[in-house]
Amino acid sequence: GAVVSQHPSWVICKSGTSVKIECRSLDFQATTMFWYRQFPKQSLMLMATSNEGSKATYEQGVEKDKFLINHASLTLSTLTVTSAHPEDSSFYICSARESGTFKNEQFFGPGTRLTVL
Amino acid sequence: AQSVSQHNHHVILSEAASLELGCNYSYGGTVNLFWYVQYPGQHLQLLLKYFSGDPLVKGIKGFEAEFIKSKFSFNLRKPSVQWSDTAEYFCAVNAPGGYQKVTFGTGTKLQVIP
């Protein structure tokens, strides 16, 4: 089956620093990837849609200058949390949709736990 | 805009009991519907999906869901739960076309007692 990986699986950083999270589709190409965040005991909230070769589409209320997304290739999207603060601590999950299909199915990565001190 | 509501936030069942988790969506057009499961400490996995055709969909691990268009519902069922079904279950919807943005419900935590 389609596999999506994320790196790192967890990260702890100091307030004010930037953190980069990678999302890779391992055995398929993904024109479109999605970034979600999940707060404890809450659902996944879509942050942005990452499109290979073009700018990401951000959801309302998500700061594009704070959450930088780069979809450099058909198998890699990165999310950089810039100048992280404790309120950015969360579980970040990416998903990828296989290119060239109409399956409308997304495959999820295992998530990255970010803790900002 | 599409939205999803799951009315049961926390369900506790004994093993062998039957399960039904409610899911209602709000969207006027054609939709794709999903149920995902997140076992403790693990990532989201697809349980089943509905795109078109037979409204009764069978998924993995004995789960099934029925799409009732008139009720905008996609309830998840399992006739006999096991302790290993303890997990959080998310209903999700997306509208075909565009970027296939998926909207998730708030999730239902299922606890199965041996």
Side-chain angles (χ1 to χ4, degrees):
Chain A
V3 179
V4 176
S5 69
Q6 281 185 241
H7 178 79
S9 55
W10 59 270
V11 57
I12 301 172
C13 69
K14 292 182 179 180
S15 186
T17 61
S18 294
V19 174
K20 180 186 283 188
I21 303 170
E22 293 185 349
C23 176
R24 291 181 187 274
S25 56
L26 297 186
D27 49 3
F28 66 99
Q29 294 186 328
T31 307
T32 306
M33 292 183 172
F34 302 86
W35 286 97
Y36 298 84
R37 64 188 297 184
Q38 185 181 26
F39 291 104
K41 300 182 181 179
Q42 293 187 30
S43 186
L44 283 76
M45 299 299 294
L46 179 65
M47 298 175 64
T49 302
S50 171
N51 308 298
E52 189 268 336
S54 64
K55 291 182 180 180
T57 304
Y58 290 82
E59 294 300 300
Q60 193 172 12
V62 177
E63 299 176 58
K64 58 182 70 176
D65 294 329
K66 181 168 185 62
F67 298 100
L68 301 179
I69 291 172
N70 183 271
H71 197 143
S73 74
L74 286 172
T75 59
L76 172 64
S77 174
T78 60
L79 168 68
T80 301
V81 183
T82 62
S83 186
H85 291 283
E87 58 265 30
D88 298 324
S89 298
S90 189
F91 195 53
Y92 293 86
I93 303 172
C94 74
S95 71
R97 178 180 171 269
E98 189 173 358
S99 301
T101 73
F102 297 96
K103 296 179 181 178
N104 287 327
E105 181 177 347
Q106 295 178 24
F107 302 95
F108 287 82
T112 297
R113 172 80 58 195
L114 170 64
T115 302
V116 185
L117 302 176
Chain B
Q2 59 207 32
S3 66
V4 181
S5 61
Q6 292 180 245
H7 306 294
N8 313 105
H9 298 295
H10 192 183
V11 173
I12 302 174
L13 294 173
S14 298
E15 274 193 316
S18 64
L19 169 73
E20 180 159 2
L21 300 182
C23 172
N24 287 90
Y25 68 93
S26 172
Y27 185 74
T30 303
V31 292
N32 299 318
L33 296 156
F34 309 84
W35 275 98
Y36 287 90
V37 60
Q38 189 172 30
Y39 296 103
Q42 297 187 29
H43 61 95
L44 277 172
Q45 300 174 41
L46 182 68
L47 262 184
L48 48 79
K49 61 194 177 197
Y50 171 80
F51 289 161
S52 63
D54 189 344
L56 184 60
V57 180
K58 294 193 183 300
I60 60 171
K61 304 186 181 185
F63 285 90
E64 65 177 32
E66 185 175 12
F67 170 52
I68 302 179
K69 191 175 181 180
S70 61
K71 294 184 179 180
F72 296 89
S73 70
F74 191 56
N75 292 355
L76 180 71
R77 299 193 292 248
K78 185 171 184 178
S80 176
V81 295
Q82 301 172 314
W83 177 78
S84 58
D85 293 324
T86 295
E88 189 146 20
Y89 293 81
F90 294 93
C91 183
V93 61
N94 83 347
Y99 294 123
Q100 288 84 42
K101 170 184 168 179
V102 176
T103 301
F104 285 83
T106 51
T108 298
K109 192 165 186 176
L110 172 65
Q111 187 177 353
V112 180
I113 301 170

